[in-house]
Amino acid sequence: MNTIYQNSKRLYFRGLLFFLLTLSVSCSKNFIDLAPESTTTTDLLYQTDSHFQDAVNACYTAMQEQYQNFWIFADVPGEDVAQEVVKNDAWYFADAFTMPDNVEMLHDTWSNYYVVINRANIILEKIEEADESLLQSKDRHIGEAKFLRAMAYFDLVRIFGGVPLITQTLAPHDAYAIGRTDVQQVYNELIIPDLLDAAARLPRSYSGTHIGRATSGAALAMLGRVYLTTGDFVNAELTLQEVTTMGYALLPHFEDLYDYGLDEHHSEYIFDIEYEEGLGNQGSVFTHRFMPNSSAMADFYDIRGGELSETFSPTDQLRALFIEEDQRRDITVGVSGGFYDASGSFQRLPQATSQNYTKKYITPVQLVNDSRANWKVIRYADVLLMYAEALNENGKTSEALAPLNAVRSRAGLSPYDLSAPDDIREKIYLERRMELAFEGHRWFDLLRTGRALDVLAPLGMQSFRVLFPIPLSQIQVINNPAIFPQNPGYN
C-alpha cells in the first residue's frame, strides 16, 4: 500500500480531539441530540481552513460508523440473503420481517444519521461567519457538508419514511416541537437542492491525501439515484448522462473491484464509505460478519481475530441466476459448501455453518472487525444501469442497450438484443440484482420499483413493512403522536 493511498483513507479519521468533543452527538435517548454549539470556546474552533476540514472529516467519521450496519437495512430484507444461524439479533429481525421498534440498532441508526446532519448544519452555519481570507477551500467544505447531509437524509427517508427536517442547530427545547416532515418535502427542500449545490461546488477529482472525498461526480451520481427513486426519469436521465461524460470507466475485470490490495480509487470508483485496518477502530466489520464459521477457510484467506459471525448468507436462488460464463458468479456467491485451497482441492465447510458466502468482502485481516474492505456506495456500473433504466422509462429503449450491455460485456456475457420496453426493464432489474448484490441496493430497488411485496410476501413481508419502525426511544421522548407518530403497523 503506497503512502498516498493510505493517507487518503485516513481523511475520514484525522479530526482533531476538540472536534471529537465539540461535534460529537451523544447516544443518549434525547430527541435527535441537537444541542447547539454556540459557546465562545466553540466559536474559536471554526476559523481556519484546517478547522473546517477537520469538521467535515468528523461528518465522514459518523457516516463510517453508520455504514457498518447499512447492509441490515439495504440487503438483508431482500430475497438474495438469508440469516441462517443467529435468530435473535437485528439482522434476523430484518430478514424475517419481525423488526420490533425497541431494537438498539434502530436507535443507533437514527442517532448516527442525525450526528452527520447536526455536524453538517454546524459547518454550514459557522462557515458563513468565518473570515473568507482564511478559507481557501470554502466551496469544497460546503459541498462536502451538503453532500453528506443529503446522503444522510436520503437514507433516513428510505428507511423510516418522514423524519424531522433539521437545517440549523437547535436548542434542545426547540427540538421537542419538531415533528416528522413529509418525505417528498424532504426531497424537494433538502436532498435535491443539497446535491445540486454540492455538484456545483465540488471538484471532479482530488490528488494526494484528499483522494476519497466526495466529488462533483459523486454528487451527480447520488442525485441521479434520488431522481430514479422519486420516479423523475427525465431528470435522472439528464443527470446520469452527465456522469457518463466525466471520465469514469468500468474496470476490465470484475474481481479487481474486490481486491483490497489494489488501489481502490480506480476508474470505476465514484464514492465509498472508506475503512482502514490497523489504525484503531477504523476498520470495517464486513469480513468477519459475512464469513462462514470455518477456521480452515479463515486460515486460507488469512483472516485472524476469531468471531466469524456468518450473518450474511447468499441464497441458492441467487447463485442459480448466474450462468457458468458469468465472471461475477464466484465473487458474488462463492462455491456452495466449501472453497478451493491453493492446490485446487475442494475443502468442505463444517456442516453446521452457512454453506453459502460472498467473496466481495474477503481480505486478510489481523484483528476482529478491523478490515480494510470498503462499502461501495456508488460505482460506475451502478450509474450505467441507472442510466439504462432512465432511458428505457423515457421511451429510449434502443439507447438503453448500450449502457446495459457494457455491464454485461465486462461480465463476459453476450449483449442483449433490442426488445420491448417491458422486457428490457426486467433485464435491467435482473442485471442490477446480479451486478450489485450485497452492496446495499436490492431492498431499495424492490421498494422504488414497487415490487417488494410481490417478491417478498412469500417470505413473510407484510405491506406495512416497506418502512422500518421509528425507534421507540424517539417516540417516547416526544410522546405526542399528533406530531410524531409511529409508522403504521408498529403500534
Side-chain angles (χ1 to χ4, degrees), residues 50-131:
S50 62
H51 288 169
F52 283 98
Q53 180 168 302
D54 287 330
V56 170
N57 290 349
C59 294
Y60 284 106
T61 302
M63 195 66 85
Q64 178 209 38
E65 181 176 350
Q66 170 52 32
Y67 266 70
Q68 300 275 26
N69 288 325
F70 186 69
W71 53 278
I72 299 174
F73 298 100
D75 286 297
V76 171
E79 77 277 39
D80 293 335
V81 63
Q83 169 48 252
E84 296 184 351
V85 181
V86 180
K87 301 294 185 183
N88 61 349
D89 218 325
W91 41 85
Y92 170 71
F93 297 139
D95 183 48
F97 298 105
T98 58
M99 183 73 73
D101 61 5
N102 62 349
V103 172
E104 189 69 18
M105 184 212 62
L106 290 175
H107 170 78
D108 291 345
T109 295
W110 183 278
S111 178
N112 287 337
Y113 281 124
Y114 275 103
V115 167
V116 177
I117 291 163
N118 189 40
R119 291 178 180 178
N121 286 343
I122 294 169
I123 291 166
L124 295 171
E125 288 182 6
K126 297 296 183 183
I127 205 165
E128 295 304 330
E129 303 168 4
D131 183 348

XYZ file of all heavy atoms in Angstrom, residues 50-131:
677
model
N -8.218 24.603 8.004
C -7.970 23.295 8.615
C -9.032 22.968 9.655
O -9.396 21.802 9.824
C -6.580 23.246 9.244
O -6.456 24.193 10.278
N -9.558 23.997 10.352
C -10.648 23.754 11.295
C -11.853 23.133 10.574
O -12.431 22.145 11.029
C -11.090 25.059 11.956
C -10.114 25.609 12.941
N -10.237 26.880 13.464
C -9.004 25.073 13.514
C -9.243 27.107 14.306
N -8.484 26.018 14.354
N -12.232 23.736 9.459
C -13.413 23.247 8.750
C -13.139 21.899 8.088
O -14.048 21.061 7.992
C -13.892 24.288 7.737
C -14.645 25.420 8.374
C -14.016 26.616 8.661
C -15.971 25.257 8.738
C -14.705 27.652 9.277
C -16.679 26.281 9.363
C -16.035 27.493 9.634
N -11.915 21.682 7.647
C -11.609 20.368 7.095
C -11.759 19.290 8.154
O -12.303 18.213 7.894
C -10.193 20.337 6.523
C -9.819 18.968 5.935
C -8.546 19.023 5.121
O -8.449 19.778 4.154
N -7.568 18.223 5.508
N -11.283 19.568 9.374
C -11.443 18.594 10.447
C -12.915 18.386 10.789
O -13.335 17.271 11.117
C -10.662 19.040 11.686
C -9.159 18.890 11.513
O -8.736 17.989 10.776
O -8.413 19.679 12.106
N -13.693 19.450 10.726
C -15.125 19.328 10.998
C -15.810 18.461 9.947
O -16.659 17.621 10.265
C -15.768 20.712 11.047
N -15.450 18.642 8.678
C -16.008 17.803 7.624
C -15.569 16.356 7.815
O -16.362 15.419 7.644
C -15.589 18.330 6.233
C -15.965 17.324 5.150
C -16.244 19.668 5.948
N -14.299 16.155 8.180
C -13.830 14.794 8.433
C -14.666 14.112 9.506
O -14.911 12.902 9.443
C -12.365 14.813 8.862
C -11.423 15.197 7.736
O -11.823 15.253 6.582
N -10.178 15.473 8.074
N -15.101 14.880 10.502
C -15.930 14.307 11.558
C -17.285 13.843 11.018
O -17.870 12.896 11.538
C -16.134 15.325 12.679
N -17.787 14.485 9.951
C -19.015 14.016 9.301
C -18.773 12.663 8.631
O -19.600 11.753 8.729
C -19.490 15.026 8.271
S -20.035 16.616 8.916
N -17.647 12.546 7.934
C -17.308 11.261 7.317
C -17.199 10.166 8.381
O -17.627 9.029 8.174
C -15.981 11.364 6.575
C -16.014 12.087 5.256
C -15.481 13.362 5.128
C -16.549 11.487 4.116
C -15.471 14.021 3.909
C -16.547 12.135 2.897
C -16.009 13.415 2.795
O -16.006 14.060 1.587
N -16.601 10.500 9.519
C -16.416 9.505 10.572
C -17.757 8.978 11.071
O -17.926 7.774 11.284
C -15.629 10.116 11.743
O -14.372 10.597 11.260
C -15.390 9.093 12.831
N -18.732 9.870 11.247
C -20.055 9.438 11.691
C -20.728 8.571 10.639
O -21.401 7.584 10.965
C -20.918 10.656 12.012
N -20.559 8.905 9.370
C -21.139 8.082 8.314
C -20.457 6.720 8.272
O -21.103 5.691 8.016
C -21.013 8.791 6.966
C -21.896 8.207 5.883
S -23.679 8.405 6.191
C -23.940 10.045 5.531
N -19.155 6.727 8.513
C -18.423 5.457 8.549
C -19.001 4.537 9.619
O -19.196 3.338 9.380
C -16.953 5.734 8.838
C -16.093 4.484 8.943
C -14.925 4.705 9.874
O -15.060 5.378 10.902
N -13.793 4.153 9.533
N -19.309 5.075 10.788
C -19.884 4.258 11.852
C -21.244 3.708 11.448
O -21.539 2.531 11.659
C -20.009 5.074 13.136
C -20.577 4.289 14.289
C -20.610 5.079 15.591
O -20.025 6.170 15.637
O -21.231 4.601 16.570
N -22.070 4.544 10.835
C -23.402 4.094 10.465
C -23.366 2.991 9.416
O -24.156 2.051 9.459
C -24.230 5.274 9.949
C -25.547 4.888 9.312
C -26.393 3.980 10.199
O -26.341 4.072 11.418
N -27.173 3.095 9.589
N -22.449 3.083 8.466
C -22.448 2.115 7.371
C -21.917 0.746 7.766
O -21.984 -0.199 6.970
C -21.708 2.678 6.156
C -22.676 3.332 5.203
C -23.316 4.519 5.539
C -23.025 2.730 4.004
C -24.238 5.106 4.694
C -23.951 3.299 3.150
C -24.562 4.486 3.496
O -25.502 5.049 2.668
N -21.477 0.596 8.994
C -21.176 -0.754 9.476
C -22.440 -1.612 9.501
O -22.376 -2.841 9.384
C -20.570 -0.694 10.890
C -19.273 0.082 11.012
C -18.043 -0.743 10.679
O -18.109 -1.707 9.926
N -16.903 -0.361 11.226
N -23.610 -0.977 9.640
C -24.876 -1.711 9.741
C -25.809 -1.460 8.561
O -26.951 -1.945 8.568
C -25.614 -1.323 11.031
C -24.953 -1.897 12.267
O -24.414 -3.000 12.231
N -24.976 -1.149 13.355
N -25.370 -0.726 7.556
C -26.267 -0.361 6.465
C -26.831 -1.590 5.758
O -27.981 -1.590 5.297
C -25.523 0.535 5.475
C -26.384 1.096 4.381
C -27.359 2.044 4.659
C -26.226 0.673 3.069
C -28.158 2.567 3.649
C -27.012 1.185 2.051
C -27.982 2.132 2.346
N -26.045 -2.645 5.677
C -26.479 -3.874 4.993
C -27.726 -4.481 5.621
O -28.506 -5.156 4.939
C -25.341 -4.899 5.001
C -24.771 -5.171 6.360
C -23.838 -4.421 7.021
C -25.091 -6.257 7.226
N -23.557 -4.972 8.259
C -24.306 -6.101 8.405
C -25.942 -7.347 7.126
C -24.365 -7.003 9.470
C -26.003 -8.248 8.196
C -25.224 -8.066 9.342
N -27.935 -4.236 6.921
C -29.122 -4.790 7.593
C -30.391 -4.185 7.010
O -31.417 -4.860 6.871
C -29.032 -4.550 9.110
C -27.797 -5.255 9.673
C -30.303 -5.020 9.812
C -27.537 -4.967 11.142
N -30.336 -2.918 6.642
C -31.485 -2.250 6.041
C -31.554 -2.465 4.531
O -32.639 -2.599 3.968
C -31.423 -0.740 6.313
C -31.471 -0.381 7.756
C -30.308 -0.077 8.449
C -32.672 -0.349 8.438
C -30.341 0.261 9.791
C -32.720 -0.012 9.783
C -31.550 0.287 10.461
N -30.415 -2.481 3.867
C -30.380 -2.393 2.418
C -30.335 -3.740 1.708
O -30.756 -3.834 0.557
C -29.171 -1.550 1.985
N -29.815 -4.770 2.360
C -29.664 -6.073 1.716
C -30.454 -7.184 2.402
O -31.081 -8.005 1.730
C -28.188 -6.482 1.679
C -27.400 -5.701 0.648
O -27.703 -5.813 -0.539
O -26.486 -4.957 1.048
N -30.412 -7.215 3.710
C -30.978 -8.354 4.439
C -32.472 -8.558 4.184
O -32.917 -9.704 4.047
C -30.683 -8.235 5.948
C -31.436 -9.289 6.740
C -29.174 -8.362 6.203
N -33.302 -7.508 4.083
C -34.724 -7.779 3.833
C -35.002 -8.377 2.458
O -36.071 -8.961 2.249
C -35.373 -6.390 3.961
C -34.405 -5.572 4.721
C -33.056 -6.078 4.323
N -34.088 -8.241 1.521
C -34.297 -8.785 0.185
C -34.231 -10.297 0.156
O -33.914 -10.959 1.145
N -34.489 -10.864 -1.014
C -34.585 -12.316 -1.148
C -33.253 -12.985 -1.449
O -33.188 -14.214 -1.538
C -35.605 -12.667 -2.239
C -35.120 -12.505 -3.675
C -35.220 -11.089 -4.209
O -34.955 -10.121 -3.454
O -35.553 -10.938 -5.390
N -32.184 -12.196 -1.582
C -30.906 -12.772 -2.004
C -29.965 -13.112 -0.866
O -28.864 -13.622 -1.093
C -30.201 -11.810 -2.966
C -30.953 -11.675 -4.277
O -31.687 -12.612 -4.627
O -30.816 -10.630 -4.938
N -30.365 -12.829 0.350
C -29.524 -13.121 1.505
C -30.425 -13.642 2.619
O -31.578 -13.223 2.752
C -28.737 -11.869 1.955
C -29.661 -10.758 2.407
C -27.743 -12.202 3.047
N -29.904 -14.574 3.399
C -30.679 -15.171 4.485
C -29.837 -15.205 5.749
O -28.612 -15.330 5.703
C -31.123 -16.589 4.125
N -30.503 -15.095 6.882
C -29.849 -15.248 8.178
C -30.124 -16.675 8.650
O -31.236 -17.002 9.039
C -30.400 -14.230 9.168
C -29.994 -14.446 10.608
C -28.504 -14.677 10.788
O -28.072 -15.777 11.074
N -27.718 -13.640 10.581
N -29.095 -17.512 8.595
C -29.301 -18.936 8.836
C -28.860 -19.402 10.214
O -29.091 -20.548 10.571
C -28.545 -19.747 7.767
C -29.065 -19.526 6.358
C -28.375 -20.396 5.331
O -27.372 -21.038 5.688
O -28.835 -20.448 4.185
N -28.208 -18.534 10.969
C -27.628 -19.010 12.232
C -28.249 -18.291 13.415
O -29.076 -18.835 14.136
C -26.095 -18.848 12.215
C -25.498 -19.373 13.520
C -25.496 -19.614 11.035
N -27.855 -17.025 13.635
C -28.356 -16.266 14.785
C -29.819 -15.905 14.547
O -30.182 -15.420 13.481
C -27.515 -14.997 15.000
C -28.039 -14.202 16.184
C -26.051 -15.369 15.221
N -30.660 -16.121 15.553
C -32.095 -15.901 15.387
C -32.661 -14.851 16.346
O -33.870 -14.752 16.502
C -32.851 -17.223 15.614
C -32.440 -18.346 14.661
C -32.811 -18.053 13.226
C -32.499 -19.231 12.311
N -32.791 -18.945 10.896
N -31.797 -14.072 16.969
C -32.317 -13.123 17.956
C -31.611 -11.781 17.878
O -31.460 -11.097 18.880
C -32.175 -13.696 19.366
C -30.726 -13.970 19.746
O -29.850 -13.921 18.892
N -30.490 -14.242 21.020
N -31.162 -11.407 16.677
C -30.478 -10.136 16.536
C -31.120 -9.327 15.429
O -31.994 -9.800 14.711
C -28.989 -10.357 16.246
C -28.112 -9.342 16.964
O -28.558 -8.178 17.087
O -26.998 -9.689 17.380
N -30.645 -8.075 15.276
C -31.299 -7.154 14.349
C -31.329 -7.692 12.934
O -32.318 -7.524 12.208
C -30.583 -5.803 14.388
N -30.248 -8.346 12.489
C -30.227 -8.827 11.113
C -31.212 -9.972 10.904
O -31.750 -10.136 9.810
C -28.819 -9.213 10.683
C -27.987 -9.941 11.690
C -27.961 -11.272 11.944
C -27.044 -9.346 12.584
N -27.066 -11.566 12.934
C -26.472 -10.397 13.350
C -26.609 -8.039 12.808
C -25.513 -10.170 14.333
C -25.654 -7.819 13.782
C -25.120 -8.883 14.523
N -31.481 -10.757 11.950
C -32.509 -11.790 11.811
C -33.896 -11.151 11.732
O -34.723 -11.536 10.900
C -32.468 -12.775 12.973
C -33.664 -13.702 12.959
C -33.786 -14.693 11.993
C -34.698 -13.546 13.879
C -34.896 -15.523 11.956
C -35.810 -14.370 13.842
C -35.904 -15.351 12.873
O -37.013 -16.162 12.826
N -34.163 -10.157 12.582
C -35.460 -9.489 12.556
C -35.708 -8.850 11.183
O -36.827 -8.886 10.665
C -35.539 -8.421 13.641
C -35.421 -8.955 15.043
C -34.677 -8.273 15.997
C -36.040 -10.137 15.421
C -34.560 -8.756 17.290
C -35.931 -10.637 16.710
C -35.186 -9.930 17.648
N -34.659 -8.260 10.591
C -34.806 -7.664 9.264
C -35.085 -8.730 8.220
O -35.904 -8.542 7.311
C -33.554 -6.871 8.897
N -34.439 -9.865 8.332
C -34.608 -10.950 7.380
C -35.991 -11.574 7.485
O -36.608 -11.926 6.465
C -33.530 -12.007 7.629
C -33.578 -13.147 6.633
O -33.659 -12.871 5.414
O -33.531 -14.316 7.049
N -36.498 -11.709 8.718
C -37.778 -12.393 8.953
C -38.967 -11.441 8.955
O -40.093 -11.876 9.162
C -37.717 -13.139 10.293
N -38.730 -10.141 8.716
C -39.788 -9.128 8.749
C -40.509 -9.130 10.096
O -41.736 -9.103 10.172
C -40.774 -9.342 7.595
C -40.146 -9.212 6.246
C -39.872 -10.339 5.479
C -39.799 -7.975 5.741
C -39.270 -10.226 4.232
C -39.192 -7.861 4.488
C -38.928 -8.972 3.740
N -39.706 -9.143 11.161
C -40.265 -9.102 12.520
C -39.598 -8.016 13.353
O -39.596 -8.101 14.574
C -40.087 -10.465 13.212
O -38.690 -10.807 13.247
C -40.877 -11.559 12.512
N -39.029 -7.005 12.720
C -38.276 -5.983 13.438
C -39.175 -5.233 14.434
O -40.121 -4.562 14.039
C -37.668 -4.988 12.446
C -36.805 -3.917 13.112
S -35.220 -4.535 13.712
C -34.327 -4.756 12.167
N -38.881 -5.324 15.750
C -39.617 -4.522 16.723
C -39.030 -3.119 16.805
O -37.929 -2.855 16.306
C -39.394 -5.291 18.032
C -38.059 -5.956 17.846
C -37.919 -6.245 16.376
N -39.766 -2.218 17.446
C -39.304 -0.821 17.470
C -38.307 -0.525 18.584
O -37.815 0.600 18.691
C -40.491 0.137 17.564
C -41.322 -0.044 18.831
O -40.943 -0.849 19.699
O -42.373 0.623 18.944
N -38.006 -1.517 19.423
C -37.107 -1.262 20.559
C -35.717 -1.855 20.374
O -34.957 -1.972 21.333
C -37.737 -1.804 21.843
C -37.960 -3.312 21.808
O -37.836 -3.933 20.759
N -38.296 -3.883 22.955
N -35.363 -2.234 19.148
C -34.030 -2.768 18.883
C -33.023 -1.627 18.941
O -33.223 -0.574 18.322
C -33.985 -3.461 17.511
C -32.573 -3.860 17.134
C -34.899 -4.674 17.514
N -31.938 -1.839 19.668
C -30.953 -0.774 19.865
C -30.368 -0.289 18.541
O -30.052 0.888 18.389
C -29.833 -1.261 20.787
C -28.866 -0.174 21.226
C -29.482 0.845 22.167
O -30.550 0.555 22.756
O -28.897 1.934 22.306
N -30.239 -1.194 17.571
C -29.674 -0.785 16.285
C -30.506 0.296 15.623
O -29.957 1.183 14.945
C -29.560 -1.991 15.362
C -28.903 -1.691 14.029
S -29.532 -2.703 12.670
C -31.245 -2.245 12.586
N -31.831 0.271 15.789
C -32.662 1.315 15.213
C -32.331 2.661 15.825
O -32.193 3.675 15.122
C -34.140 0.993 15.426
C -34.735 -0.165 14.639
C -36.175 -0.407 15.080
C -34.672 0.088 13.140
N -32.210 2.692 17.144
C -31.842 3.945 17.812
C -30.470 4.415 17.363
O -30.259 5.606 17.080
C -31.853 3.773 19.331
C -31.259 4.949 20.050
N -31.941 6.122 20.236
C -30.022 5.136 20.581
C -31.162 6.988 20.862
N -30.000 6.412 21.084
N -29.515 3.500 17.284
C -28.161 3.876 16.872
C -28.156 4.427 15.443
O -27.435 5.398 15.151
C -27.234 2.665 16.956
C -26.974 2.223 18.389
O -27.270 3.002 19.323
O -26.488 1.089 18.573
N -28.950 3.821 14.569
C -29.025 4.288 13.188
C -29.582 5.699 13.123
O -29.031 6.580 12.453
C -29.902 3.328 12.361
O -29.257 2.057 12.293
C -30.143 3.852 10.957
N -30.674 5.907 13.806
C -31.288 7.241 13.859
C -30.282 8.259 14.390
O -30.076 9.329 13.803
C -32.516 7.173 14.761
C -33.328 8.427 14.884
C -33.076 9.486 15.698
C -34.534 8.726 14.186
N -34.049 10.441 15.545
C -34.955 9.997 14.626
C -35.297 8.039 13.244
C -36.115 10.607 14.145
C -36.448 8.647 12.765
C -36.851 9.911 13.209
N -29.638 7.926 15.483
C -28.676 8.830 16.106
C -27.490 9.098 15.192
O -27.059 10.246 15.030
C -28.198 8.238 17.434
O -27.236 9.072 18.051
N -26.959 8.054 14.562
C -25.790 8.230 13.697
C -26.076 9.190 12.548
O -25.249 10.054 12.223
C -25.341 6.880 13.129
C -24.673 5.995 14.155
O -24.160 6.473 15.164
N -24.675 4.696 13.911
N -27.227 9.033 11.911
C -27.544 9.925 10.797
C -27.729 11.362 11.274
O -27.317 12.308 10.586
C -28.789 9.442 10.050
C -28.519 8.302 9.109
C -29.228 7.101 9.208
C -27.567 8.409 8.101
C -28.990 6.044 8.335
C -27.324 7.359 7.230
C -28.035 6.183 7.344
O -27.789 5.137 6.481
N -28.350 11.546 12.436
C -28.505 12.907 12.915
C -27.205 13.490 13.467
O -27.056 14.710 13.536
C -29.656 12.996 13.930
C -30.982 13.162 13.224
C -31.858 12.096 13.084
C -31.324 14.381 12.638
C -33.047 12.237 12.390
C -32.512 14.532 11.951
C -33.378 13.459 11.821
O -34.556 13.610 11.129
N -26.250 12.648 13.814
C -24.902 13.139 14.089
C -24.354 13.814 12.836
O -23.833 14.935 12.878
C -23.973 11.992 14.538
C -22.514 12.439 14.504
C -24.324 11.509 15.932
N -24.451 13.116 11.701
C -23.977 13.676 10.430
C -24.695 14.983 10.132
O -24.073 15.996 9.782
C -24.186 12.675 9.279
C -23.754 13.285 7.946
C -23.434 11.379 9.538
N -26.018 14.970 10.257
C -26.823 16.142 9.930
C -26.474 17.311 10.835
O -26.291 18.454 10.381
C -28.315 15.798 10.025
C -28.685 14.829 8.894
C -29.192 17.045 9.981
C -29.993 14.100 9.108
N -26.348 17.058 12.133
C -26.026 18.127 13.075
C -24.654 18.708 12.786
O -24.460 19.932 12.776
C -26.093 17.588 14.502
C -25.983 18.689 15.541
O -26.550 19.763 15.377
N -25.249 18.427 16.602
N -23.673 17.850 12.544
C -22.327 18.337 12.254
C -22.305 19.145 10.966
O -21.639 20.182 10.876
C -21.355 17.155 12.179
C -21.130 16.492 13.523
C -20.206 15.280 13.421
N -20.027 14.680 14.746
C -19.302 13.589 14.984
N -18.690 12.973 13.975
N -19.174 13.122 16.204
N -23.025 18.673 9.949
C -23.087 19.420 8.692
C -23.763 20.770 8.892
O -23.313 21.795 8.349
C -23.836 18.606 7.635
N -24.846 20.799 9.666
C -25.534 22.069 9.924
C -24.612 23.069 10.626
O -24.620 24.268 10.300
C -26.773 21.828 10.778
C -27.910 21.179 10.000
O -27.911 21.188 8.768
N -28.868 20.619 10.705
N -23.833 22.595 11.585
C -22.904 23.478 12.282
C -21.883 24.053 11.303
O -21.601 25.262 11.311
C -22.186 22.719 13.423
C -23.190 22.322 14.501
C -21.087 23.585 14.041
C -22.636 21.343 15.522
N -21.328 23.199 10.464
C -20.344 23.655 9.473
C -20.951 24.732 8.586
O -20.344 25.792 8.345
C -19.861 22.473 8.626
C -19.014 21.520 9.465
C -19.069 22.955 7.408
C -18.787 20.171 8.810
N -22.163 24.476 8.068
C -22.776 25.400 7.131
C -23.129 26.728 7.787
O -23.112 27.778 7.122
C -24.019 24.753 6.515
C -23.725 23.525 5.636
C -25.012 22.821 5.245
C -22.938 23.923 4.401
N -23.430 26.716 9.074
C -23.675 27.970 9.785
C -22.376 28.710 10.069
O -22.249 29.910 9.800
C -24.415 27.685 11.098
C -25.862 27.289 10.915
C -26.569 27.067 12.244
O -25.958 27.327 13.297
O -27.731 26.636 12.229
N -21.409 28.007 10.610
C -20.167 28.646 11.048
C -19.334 29.154 9.883
O -18.629 30.157 10.010
C -19.346 27.669 11.888
C -20.010 27.231 13.191
C -20.205 28.396 14.125
C -20.809 27.939 15.456
N -21.064 29.090 16.367
N -19.391 28.476 8.756
C -18.525 28.863 7.644
C -18.945 30.204 7.051
O -18.115 30.931 6.481
C -18.501 27.759 6.564
C -17.202 27.845 5.753
C -19.736 27.812 5.666
C -16.914 26.617 4.923
N -20.216 30.553 7.190
C -20.671 31.848 6.692
C -20.238 32.987 7.618
O -20.233 34.153 7.209
C -22.189 31.848 6.514
C -22.680 30.882 5.455
C -22.045 31.108 4.081
O -21.698 32.276 3.763
O -21.882 30.125 3.334
N -19.881 32.663 8.839
C -19.427 33.673 9.794
C -17.908 33.839 9.783
O -17.384 34.799 10.332
C -19.874 33.288 11.212
C -21.378 33.106 11.364
C -21.750 32.438 12.684
O -20.826 32.191 13.502
O -22.945 32.178 12.898
N -17.206 32.894 9.161
C -15.752 32.880 9.217
C -15.147 33.877 8.228
O -15.779 34.294 7.251
C -15.240 31.473 8.923
N -13.913 34.250 8.496
C -13.153 35.161 7.642
C -12.773 34.430 6.353
O -12.013 33.460 6.380
C -11.897 35.619 8.389
C -11.082 36.632 7.598
O -11.345 36.827 6.396
O -10.164 37.225 8.195
